[in-house]
Each structure stands twice: as C-alpha cells, then as structure tokens.
Amino acid sequence: MNLILLGAPGAGKGTQAEVICDTLKIPAISTGNILREAIKNETALGMEAKSYMDGGKLVPDEIVINILKERLEKDDCKNGFILDGFPRTVPQAEALDKMGVNIDRVIDIEVEDEKIMKRLSGRRVCEDCGASYHLEYKPSKSEGKCDKCGGNTVQRKDDHPDTIKERLQVYHQQTEPLKDYYYATGKLIVVEGQEDVADTTALTLKAVEA
Ligand code: AP5
Ligand code: ZN
C-alpha cells in the first residue's frame, strides 16, 4: 500500500507514520529526516537545505523531488511506503504523478494551530537516533535522555516559537491546497488529530484499513 500522510507541522505525521510502519511493515519516508541527516553529515545537499529549514521555509521543489525519486527506487519500497512530509506543494504532487507512482490513500491529520504551537515547542528529539518525545505528552523516562539509545534529547532549531509560526504560515499557503488536489482524486481521508496519540492512532489505522 502506498500512503501519503498530510498535515500541518506537528500534526503528528511522524508519530503516526511509526505506527503504520510497524503495522504494515512498510518503510516510512520522511523528507525532513533525510534533509536533517544531510545537514548532520555536512553534505552539499545539507549545506543548501539548512538555511531554508532553520528559517521554517520549504526547501526548493527540485531538490526534494530528486531526493524522493532516489529514495523510492530502493528495494524496500517495492511492497509499499508511507510518505511523511512529501508532497508539500502542488508541483511536488504533480511530480509524484509524473513519476508514475500510484497512491492508494492520502490521510490528512487535522489539528488546530494553537495545539500545534504547544506540541512543537515541547517536542524533543534524540540527536543520535531521531526518536521523538514531548516534555508533557510523551516524556522520556530519564529527562534529557533517549529511551531507545540513551542519546541526548534536544529541541529542533525550527521548533522555536517564531519559526513554528512561519512554518504554519507556509503550511497554510503552500501545502493546504493539496487537500483539494487529493480530494479531487477521491483518495483523501480526513482524520481528527486533536486528541491524544492513541485516539489518533486508532483513527489513522481505521483510515488505512478502510
Ligand atoms: P519535517 O521534518 O517534515 O517537519 P514538519 O512537517 O514540520 O513536521 P514535524 O516533524 O514537525 O511534525 P509531525 O507532523 O511529524 O509531528 P510529530 O509526530 O513529530 O520538515 C522540516 C523541514 O524540512 C520543513 O520545514 C522544510 O524546510 C523541509 N522539508 C521537508 N520536507 C519537505 C518537502 N517535501 N518540500 C520542501 N521542504 C521540505 O509530533 C509533534 C510533537 O507532538 C511530538 O513531540 C509528539 O510527541 C507530539 N504529539 C504527536 N501527536 C500527539 C497527540 N495526538 N497528542 C499530543 N501530542 C502529540
Ligand atoms: Zn535515541
């Protein structure tokens, strides 16, 4: 099954992608994670993407489209995949169509902006394995340390309030039009993402199985 997870920054795409990935045994592909890894490794791609990401802007379409194309060619995508954070603009969605990729379902996780601010400002991520926590909603067992690998948990640079506001604005202007784009294909399923993680997971899995 080929799935797209749509939703504002902090709506819970990464959190739900992890569950679907375990349930369906298909890889979750996050363009944000691929870009952060490139920044960490100081590659040419990372250098180029960094200023856009730190400022809460989108990385240019051409760059992310190429990243995704390469990733989808890998063997582990043969039985399906979950796209988390791609497409994020109409040209990216059109590029996906042009690649001949058949999408089965587009799950749109809906959360109010006010809640997003709380979720993202409280998020902490492991700098070694990328595991995600929240100071209030999903604290790690030992403060500042990752449950999975013991690495340090830190705040993402783009999770500071001013940058979150910018990311939300970018989302409403450039990514939200994708709801209409996919509604027109009959593949869009809207999931209420306001409640706690378990509730959203139940609704997301229902949407996957629908
Ligand atoms: P990316 O890494 O994709 O970030 P994002 O879309 O902004 O999404 P997030 O990872 O912030 O949020 P999420 O929805 O995954 O929420 P999460 O599950 O972590 O992109 C980063 C940047 O890379 C972009 O700004 C852009 O520059 C660039 N980029 C990436 N893809 C691109 C593309 N295609 N085109 C151009 N540029 C691109 O949850 C958030 C927090 O809330 C966590 O702490 C979690 O524990 C908590 N939480 C989750 N669900 C719940 C719940 N139900 N109740 C309470 N807490 C919850
Ligand atoms: Zn870790």
Side-chain angles (χ1 to χ4, degrees), residues 126-131 133 146-153:
C126 173
E127 55 185 1
D128 291 336
C129 77
Y133 300 92
C146 174
D147 293 345
K148 292 184 183 165
C149 76
N152 291 325
T153 59

Side-chain angles (χ1 to χ4, degrees), residues 129-178:
C129 77
S132 178
Y133 300 92
H134 191 282
L135 292 177
E136 193 180 332
Y137 309 129
K138 193 189 169 193
S140 57
K141 289 189 188 93
S142 158
E143 206 187 316
K145 295 282 171 208
C146 174
D147 293 345
K148 292 184 183 165
C149 76
N152 291 325
T153 59
V154 295
Q155 185 168 36
R156 255 168 61 173
K157 240 191 175 142
D158 58 351
D159 278 348
H160 292 279
D162 284 348
T163 319
I164 299 172
K165 277 188 200 142
E166 175 65 29
R167 286 160 69 200
L168 280 169
Q169 205 173 343
V170 166
Y171 167 75
H172 291 304
Q173 280 170 357
Q174 301 190 53
T175 308
E176 226 170 3
L178 287 177

Side-chain angles (χ1 to χ4, degrees), residues 107-122:
I107 301 174
D108 168 38
I109 306 177
E110 284 287 320
V111 180
E112 281 169 11
D113 286 7
E114 210 178 299
K115 246 183 190 164
I116 300 262
M117 285 300 291
K118 273 189 104 175
R119 285 192 191 174
L120 290 184
S121 48

Side-chain angles (χ1 to χ4, degrees), residues 16 33 38-40 53 60 63 94 98 148 187 190:
Q16 300 305 328
N33 285 347
I39 292 176
K40 199 168 149 188
M53 293 176 73
I63 298 178
E94 288 168 348
K98 276 200 204 114
K148 292 184 183 165
K187 290 173 180 167
V190 178

Side-chain angles (χ1 to χ4, degrees), residues 3 9 17 20 43 46 59 81 94-95 121 183 186 201-202:
L3 297 169
I20 305 172
T43 66
V59 173
F81 51 80
E94 288 168 348
S121 48
Y183 180 77
T201 298

Side-chain angles (χ1 to χ4, degrees), residues 39-51:
I39 292 176
K40 199 168 149 188
N41 296 328
E42 297 180 347
T43 66
L45 166 68
M47 307 285 208
E48 190 163 4
K50 189 174 177 351
S51 60

